[in-house]
Amino acid sequence: MNTYLLLKTLHIISSVLLVGTGFGSAFYLYFTHRSNNLAAIATVTRLVVIADWCFTTPAVIIQPLSGIAMMYLAGWQLDTPWIMLSIALYLLAGACWLPVVWLQIQMKGMAEAAYQQGASLSARYWRYARYWEYLGYPAFIAMVVVFYLMVNKPQLWA
């Protein structure tokens, strides 16, 4: 296997981990919130934070490194329109993800404390949960468009 194909395999696997973990975490926490089951919420918020550290964070690092290396090996220029748009959308997703990480950590702490104290989740928790959800939509849509751009490499503008 040549270097390009090895990098491409790494790039694809890390993209699946990045988007798959994000979507899976969002799915489970979204529906767990609707259950209003405090024990489940405390457990799922803890697992979402762990998943972000174990899967999303390494993928966030691997994606640009492998992408830039493949771009170089394939002879693509950084100013190629689909590459520039992909990078811009990746940065948009990252700009959404960074506050989401902070929100998740805060929500985890609040959920665990409420569960241990036998209390209800605070209004602040639910406000953070809404922000977390709202930030997920543009990040996910951005990554879907990045997948489209990577696969199709369309001629966007001259």
Side-chain angles (χ1 to χ4, degrees), residues 20-79:
T21 301
F23 186 74
S25 294
F27 178 87
Y28 287 111
L29 191 51
Y30 176 87
F31 285 105
T32 302
H33 279 150
R34 272 116 193 106
S35 77
N36 213 24
N37 179 324
L38 182 54
I41 292 170
T43 299
V44 172
T45 55
R46 181 178 55 80
L47 294 173
V48 164
V49 169
I50 291 169
D52 247 2
W53 288 115
C54 293
F55 301 109
T56 309
T57 301
V60 163
I61 295 164
I62 291 168
Q63 281 290 284
L65 296 176
S66 59
I68 290 167
M70 284 190 310
M71 189 181 74
Y72 171 77
L73 290 172
W76 290 98
Q77 298 299 312
L78 188 59
D79 64 353

Side-chain angles (χ1 to χ4, degrees), residues 68-132:
I68 290 167
M70 284 190 310
M71 189 181 74
Y72 171 77
L73 290 172
W76 290 98
Q77 298 299 312
L78 188 59
D79 64 353
T80 304
W82 68 266
I83 292 175
M84 290 188 337
L85 184 55
S86 295
I87 292 169
L89 290 168
Y90 186 78
L91 292 173
L92 170 65
C96 293
W97 178 67
L98 287 172
V100 159
V101 170
W102 183 84
L103 289 166
Q104 288 172 175
I105 293 167
Q106 300 305 306
M107 291 163 55
K108 170 190 168 288
M110 288 185 271
E112 288 176 343
Y115 179 69
Q116 290 169 356
Q117 296 165 5
S120 297
L121 289 168
S122 66
R124 184 173 69 150
Y125 178 92
W126 292 112
R127 187 173 61 252
Y128 283 9
R130 279 192 310 278
Y131 297 156
W132 176 86

